[in-house]
Amino acid sequence: MADHTIQESIYILKKSSTRLSVSTDKQRNDLLLAIGQGLVDDWAEIERANALDLSAAEANGEKEALVKRLVFDIEKRDSVIAGLKQVAALQDPIGRVLERRLLDTSLLLERVSFPIGVIGMIFESRPDALVQIVSLCLKSGNGIILKGGKEAAHTNAALVASIYKSAASSPLGSEWLLLLTSHSDVDVMLKMDGLIDLLIPRGSNAFVKYVMDNTSIPVLGHAAGICHMYVDKEADLAMASECAFDSKTQYPAACNAIETILVHKDIAPVFLLMLASRMADKQVILHGDSQTRSYIDCLPCTQGDYDTEYLALELNIRVVDTYQQALDHIAEHGSHHTDAIITKNKELANLFMREVDSADVMVNCSTRFADGFRFGLGAEVGISTAKIHARGPVGISGLMSSKWLLQGDGQVVASYTGSNAKPFLHKELAIGEESK
Amino acid sequence: MADHTIQESIYILKKSSTRLSVSTDKQRNDLLLAIGQGLVDDWAEIERANALDLSAAEANGEKEALVKRLVFDIEKRDSVIAGLKQVAALQDPIGRVLERRLLDTSLLLERVSFPIGVIGMIFESRPDALVQIVSLCLKSGNGIILKGGKEAAHTNAALVASIYKSAASSPLGSEWLLLLTSHSDVDVMLKMDGLIDLLIPRGSNAFVKYVMDNTSIPVLGHAAGICHMYVDKEADLAMASECAFDSKTQYPAACNAIETILVHKDIAPVFLLMLASRMADKQVILHGDSQTRSYIDCLPCTQGDYDTEYLALELNIRVVDTYQQALDHIAEHGSHHTDAIITKNKELANLFMREVDSADVMVNCSTRFADGFRFGLGAEVGISTAKIHARGPVGISGLMSSKWLLQGDGQVVASYTGSNAKPFLHKELAIGEESK
């Protein structure tokens, strides 16, 4: 696509995505499997490209975690290929009948699933994520514009080159996929409303917020993950300590890790000692309010701490007098992402699930379960804290829209209005039911 | 709420909407019925207020259509009260289980419906619309900020005063409802992201576009309704003529009325004469391309006409050589709202339904059916041309979000990761099924 400007390429991609949306499931599945085979055939080039990215990262003194994410070895390749096969085996998400209603004799209304159109994905430096995202968009019939992290530039380019080769012999072609590489391309994308239908930014909170603030294209994602655990006076304290430990330490850089734990005052004297001892196993830095510090030794917690997403082994602790105080704290400082309660009181747990306005509300388990794979959605394109479209972990269904189809035999609205109006039938039909 | 600034009132409303979201269905239904009774009790004040608006409109020389929409007489009141009863009788939309999956023994995941939060509705000068919108938001547990047209200011204020009186004796109170009256309040609303979760503007295209361009709050609606009808060479010509007549003339100011009719060249000589004769019944002004004007007498169609939403008895006619040319025209000039095909060719109809990327796609019937009531959704809050959340006519389900609830007995993610990882069960449960 070197001969086109980015804008021209995106116009072409938009047209191509229309063709993709009416392609058959078999065409899309064949291409998914061909892409997997292509990764094997082109392995030498991909391996060489990845080595370039890795040595550049090491030369730049990048953190070990980043370098680890950059690695695209045989093991990751094979797991990506397994993922492509899994996605190909999924039921066709296009054209599913979601509602079916007979408005009148021979006037059949159906709402059917349909691809959103063109997805703009801006993602971190994980080459395996590139293949995963491409596979979900291809399966769901959406065109995809990718902007990957510069640290993975060589690997990403080699992967897309391989996908293009695989697509060359497919009737779907390769124009539904575009890889952007320059950082300034992000701003071009943000202005392409009307062509890009949905943006999915993944990366730092500041970056996601920048995207949300600078585009009128709908954005699926979350800017912050300030998650809480409330340990009630009727909690099983050993369970609470384990769940808190997992929620904080199992993967502290994740958005669903907790930043603050709220502890009911009645159990604070006993529980805080248990908690401090468990958190010491991973040297978690604790910030406590004044009550907390009357029981355990830790840093003072300042007001700003409650609004900080540490993404590290650091945790705020606050003692609360009542359930309501915990609720108010979550409403004030939370990011409506994932919040948990630990309690044996079923009624209180039910209240918490109703009253906490977060995408994921957990009872007696770790917040770290908030994830598309763990939730059983297959792969995940992101976690959304928006209240519309998709909320929480978003799987392939988040890449789908729908349209209404109405089939008649000449009906006009004039017959159904005025003093002599025909009544509507409005008969709900089962999805599989015949219309007559 | 006279003592508060608008911002303060909206903060209070946000808190109140949280209480509303956890209220019982009975509390909401009782209030819906009380509001209906209140309209009867306060009829004298409402009637007086409406008379003020009507005489002001007449004094200002407003168009008859606007004055008609302003009228709030006993008949409209009673139909609004009937609507309140209908909404009260609807199934509770809050807390419905939408997905249910056992992740592992005693680890139950559910996705349940939940109100979006606070809806900002900016609507035209129809007092009956105010009551309808309030009823849908109340039933669905959403706080609502209303900004009505200034022409209906007295009537709207009297209606809201009556609703406040009815709400005074309800445990839900009245703080979940706020009526804004000044035009500058619109700009205040557009900046309240984080407090207002969804904006629903109704009104002129220019106004809706202004809203969409000037807020980062999600907007549900449509800026333009440029709808098409394609009359295929295999169409039943009498049917095509009637459907076109209804689509254009049944209510020309509606967004789902057609602006352009595309006619296959093979049937153009016969069909255009039929069409011109039928459209003459209502003095529809026709704009034709050069081929059309070789068959019938009409104004020339200029390129800009294809992008104009007439909202009046005016119609473009273009003769196309092929189905593909019609499709390309719709893709280029349409607003993805509602488009129709008239054909006896089933295969072509199926292709059209797949290939036209519009919220509503019609086969052999009028485009005017694209409406929440006619589609059987009950009342409608608007018609959306967005590809995410809700598309096409939007009923009460468009006011709902969802959240994920995960209930365990102490599970942590560490047990499900690493070399000794427990596998997930991921067992789909029927909605009503017990978890064990």
Side-chain angles (χ1 to χ4, degrees):
Chain A
M1 302 209 174
D3 298 345
H4 299 293
T5 66
I6 291 168
Q7 282 89 344
E8 284 169 347
S9 297
I10 293 180
Y11 275 105
I12 293 169
L13 183 138
K14 175 81 178 174
K15 282 219 159 202
S16 177
S17 78
T18 305
R19 284 197 299 277
L20 197 61
S21 71
V22 299
S23 62
T24 67
D25 194 37
K26 183 168 186 316
Q27 290 172 328
R28 283 174 273 124
N29 293 340
D30 286 349
L31 181 48
L32 283 165
L33 300 179
I35 289 170
Q37 184 55 45
L39 297 183
V40 176
D41 298 343
D42 300 327
W43 183 239
E45 287 85 348
I46 296 166
E47 201 173 24
R48 205 174 307 131
N50 192 239
L52 285 176
D53 286 332
L54 287 174
S55 56
E58 274 152 31
N60 291 335
E62 299 284 3
K63 283 189 193 154
E64 201 195 317
L66 178 105
V67 176
K68 242 178 161 172
R69 286 205 303 268
L70 266 184
V71 171
F72 193 72
D73 53 15
I74 289 260
E75 199 184 323
K76 282 201 186 167
R77 182 198 72 182
D78 288 349
S79 109
V80 149
I81 292 172
L84 283 161
K85 287 179 185 162
Q86 272 172 23
V87 171
L90 290 175
Q91 203 190 333
D92 188 2
I94 304 177
R96 284 198 209 166
V97 179
L98 307 170
E99 292 183 53
R100 204 153 206 258
R101 189 176 296 125
L102 207 54
L103 303 192
D104 197 359
T105 315
S106 300
L107 189 59
L108 174 69
L109 180 72
E110 291 177 315
R111 189 164 68 87
V112 302
S113 64
F114 199 70
I116 286 182
V118 176
I119 311 292
M121 171 76 79
I122 310 163
F123 67 106
E124 66 276 47
S125 304
R126 276 179 43 215
D128 45 334
L130 182 149
V131 184
Q132 194 187 27
I133 291 160
V134 167
S135 70
L136 289 173
C137 288
L138 174 55
K139 178 74 183 186
S140 60
N142 287 288
I144 171 84
I145 303 170
L146 293 166
K147 164 72 186 69
K150 67 174 184 309
E151 299 83 1
H154 292 98
T155 316
N156 288 343
L159 288 171
V160 168
S162 171
I163 294 171
Y164 278 177
K165 266 172 65 182
S166 301
S169 52
S170 160
L172 304 177
S174 64
E175 286 169 343
W176 51 271
L177 168 65
L178 184 64
L179 175 69
L180 302 180
T181 50
S182 150
H183 189 67
S184 64
D185 294 340
V186 171
D187 289 318
V188 175
M189 286 173 77
L190 300 190
K191 292 202 172 42
M192 302 223 85
D193 42 309
L195 287 172
I196 299 179
D197 297 293
L198 181 67
L199 285 173
I200 308 182
R202 314 209 306 194
S204 74
N205 303 349
F207 174 69
V208 175
K209 192 157 172 17
Y210 173 81
V211 168
M212 288 175 169
D213 289 346
N214 288 282
T215 188
S216 55
I217 302 171
V219 178
L220 194 152
H222 62 277
I226 299 186
C227 305
H228 301 81
M229 179 169 285
Y230 167 58
V231 182
D232 180 51
K233 64 180 172 186
E234 294 182 60
D236 174 326
L237 299 189
M239 179 195 288
S241 171
E242 277 314 302
C243 286
F245 182 74
D246 191 77
S247 298
K248 180 71 254 184
T249 69
Q250 201 268 332
Y251 188 50
C255 54
N256 56 15
I258 57 169
E259 309 302 338
T260 298
I261 184 159
L262 303 160
V263 178
H264 192 282
K265 68 171 171 18
D266 291 3
I267 47 115
V270 178
F271 178 67
L272 289 176
L273 291 173
M274 291 170 69
L275 183 71
S277 147
R278 189 67 174 107
M279 291 292 173
D281 292 348
K282 287 213 178 167
Q283 288 88 46
V284 178
I285 298 164
L286 303 178
H287 303 244
D289 72 337
S290 58
Q291 279 197 71
T292 299
R293 286 188 299 132
S294 70
Y295 300 118
I296 59 169
D297 196 29
C298 63
L299 295 174
C301 187
T302 63
Q303 196 65 20
D305 288 346
Y306 292 143
D307 303 307
T308 303
E309 188 178 6
Y310 292 117
L311 298 168
L313 290 170
E314 236 171 314
L315 178 70
N316 303 314
I317 309 177
R318 181 182 172 191
V319 174
V320 293
D321 294 340
T322 60
Y323 162 77
Q324 187 59 46
Q325 206 179 355
L327 214 61
D328 292 343
H329 181 105
I330 292 171
E332 187 182 344
H333 301 284
S335 59
H336 308 285
H337 191 298
T338 301
D339 298 288
I341 187 173
I342 308 292
T343 185
K344 284 182 276 193
N345 182 334
K346 278 228 156 209
E347 216 170 297
L348 192 74
N350 287 335
L351 207 60
F352 187 84
M353 287 192 283
R354 283 199 293 143
E355 295 192 330
V356 171
D357 182 21
S358 295
D360 315 295
V361 186
M362 316 308 227
V363 173
N364 294 333
C365 60
S366 168
T367 57
R368 289 276 302 124
F369 282 106
D371 164 273
F373 166 69
R374 287 172 206 136
F375 272 11
L377 310 181
E380 137 188 323
V381 291
I383 293 186
S384 174
T385 53
K387 306 280 276 285
I388 66 162
H389 193 58
R391 196 176 186 206
V394 182
I396 207 164
S397 69
L399 297 176
M400 303 307 293
S401 182
S402 65
K403 56 184 177 186
W404 296 94
L405 305 177
L406 182 60
Q407 300 179 69
D409 58 4
Q411 288 87 346
V412 294
V413 164
S415 323
Y416 299 84
T417 45
S419 51
N420 236 342
K422 278 179 78 173
F424 281 102
L425 203 63
H426 285 163
K427 185 184 166 198
E428 301 297 324
L429 298 179
I431 302 306
E433 209 173 324
E434 280 303 305
S435 62
K436 283 171 200 177
Chain B
M1 301 205 176
D3 298 345
H4 299 292
T5 66
I6 293 169
Q7 282 88 345
E8 284 169 347
S9 297
I10 295 180
Y11 276 105
I12 293 168
L13 184 138
K14 176 82 179 175
K15 280 220 158 199
S16 178
S17 77
T18 305
R19 284 198 298 279
L20 197 62
S21 72
V22 299
S23 62
T24 66
D25 193 37
K26 182 169 186 317
Q27 289 172 327
R28 283 173 273 125
N29 293 339
D30 286 349
L31 182 48
L32 284 164
L33 300 178
I35 289 171
Q37 185 54 46
L39 296 182
V40 175
D41 299 343
D42 300 327
W43 182 240
E45 287 85 348
I46 296 166
E47 202 173 24
R48 206 174 307 132
N50 193 237
L52 284 175
D53 286 333
L54 287 174
S55 56
E58 274 152 31
N60 291 336
E62 298 284 3
K63 283 188 193 157
E64 201 194 317
L66 179 105
V67 176
K68 242 178 161 171
R69 284 205 304 267
L70 266 184
V71 171
F72 193 72
D73 53 16
I74 289 259
E75 199 183 323
K76 281 203 187 162
R77 182 199 71 182
D78 288 348
S79 108
V80 149
I81 292 172
L84 283 160
K85 286 178 185 163
Q86 273 171 23
V87 171
L90 291 174
Q91 204 191 332
D92 188 2
I94 305 177
R96 283 197 209 164
V97 178
L98 308 169
E99 292 182 52
R100 205 154 205 259
R101 189 174 298 126
L102 206 55
L103 304 191
D104 196 0
T105 315
S106 301
L107 189 59
L108 175 67
L109 180 71
E110 291 176 316
R111 189 165 68 88
V112 301
S113 64
F114 198 70
I116 286 183
V118 176
I119 311 293
M121 171 76 79
I122 309 163
F123 66 107
E124 65 277 48
S125 303
R126 275 180 44 215
D128 46 332
L130 182 150
V131 185
Q132 194 187 28
I133 291 159
V134 166
S135 70
L136 290 173
C137 287
L138 174 54
K139 177 73 183 188
S140 59
N142 287 288
I144 169 85
I145 303 170
L146 293 166
K147 164 72 185 69
K150 67 174 184 313
E151 299 83 1
H154 292 98
T155 316
N156 288 344
L159 289 171
V160 168
S162 172
I163 295 170
Y164 277 179
K165 266 172 65 182
S166 302
S169 52
S170 160
L172 305 178
S174 64
E175 286 169 342
W176 51 271
L177 168 65
L178 184 64
L179 175 69
L180 301 180
T181 51
S182 150
H183 189 67
S184 64
D185 293 341
V186 171
D187 289 317
V188 175
M189 286 172 77
L190 300 190
K191 292 202 170 45
M192 302 223 85
D193 43 307
L195 287 171
I196 299 179
D197 297 293
L198 181 67
L199 286 173
I200 308 182
R202 314 210 304 195
S204 73
N205 303 349
F207 173 68
V208 174
K209 190 153 173 21
Y210 173 81
V211 168
M212 289 175 167
D213 290 345
N214 287 282
T215 188
S216 56
I217 302 171
V219 178
L220 193 151
H222 62 276
I226 299 185
C227 305
H228 301 80
M229 179 170 284
Y230 166 58
V231 182
D232 180 50
K233 62 179 173 186
E234 293 182 59
D236 173 327
L237 299 190
M239 180 196 288
S241 172
E242 277 313 304
C243 285
F245 183 73
D246 191 78
S247 297
K248 179 71 254 183
T249 72
Q250 201 269 332
Y251 188 49
C255 55
N256 55 18
I258 56 169
E259 310 302 338
T260 298
I261 184 160
L262 303 160
V263 178
H264 193 280
K265 67 170 173 14
D266 291 2
I267 48 116
V270 177
F271 179 67
L272 288 177
L273 291 173
M274 292 170 69
L275 183 71
S277 148
R278 189 65 175 110
M279 291 292 172
D281 293 347
K282 287 211 178 170
Q283 287 87 48
V284 178
I285 299 165
L286 302 178
H287 303 243
D289 71 337
S290 58
Q291 278 199 73
T292 298
R293 287 188 299 131
S294 70
Y295 301 118
I296 59 169
D297 196 28
C298 63
L299 296 174
C301 188
T302 63
Q303 195 66 20
D305 289 346
Y306 292 143
D307 302 307
T308 303
E309 188 177 5
Y310 292 117
L311 297 168
L313 289 170
E314 237 173 312
L315 178 71
N316 304 314
I317 308 177
R318 181 182 173 191
V319 174
V320 293
D321 295 339
T322 59
Y323 162 78
Q324 187 58 46
Q325 207 180 352
L327 212 63
D328 291 343
H329 181 106
I330 293 171
E332 187 181 344
H333 300 285
S335 61
H336 308 285
H337 191 297
T338 301
D339 297 288
I341 187 173
I342 309 291
T343 185
K344 285 183 276 194
N345 181 335
K346 279 228 157 209
E347 215 170 298
L348 192 73
N350 286 335
L351 207 60
F352 187 83
M353 288 192 283
R354 283 199 291 144
E355 295 192 329
V356 171
D357 182 22
S358 295
D360 315 296
V361 185
M362 316 309 226
V363 174
N364 293 334
C365 60
S366 168
T367 57
R368 290 276 300 124
F369 282 106
D371 164 274
F373 166 68
R374 290 175 202 132
F375 272 10
L377 309 181
E380 138 186 323
V381 291
I383 294 186
S384 173
T385 52
K387 306 280 275 290
I388 67 161
H389 194 57
R391 195 176 187 208
V394 182
I396 207 164
S397 70
L399 298 176
M400 303 307 294
S401 181
S402 65
K403 56 183 175 186
W404 295 95
L405 305 177
L406 181 61
Q407 300 178 67
D409 58 2
Q411 288 86 347
V412 294
V413 164
S415 324
Y416 298 85
T417 45
S419 52
N420 235 341
K422 277 179 79 174
F424 281 101
L425 204 59
H426 285 161
K427 183 184 168 199
E428 301 298 323
L429 297 179
I431 303 305
E433 209 173 325
E434 281 301 307
S435 62
K436 283 174 200 177

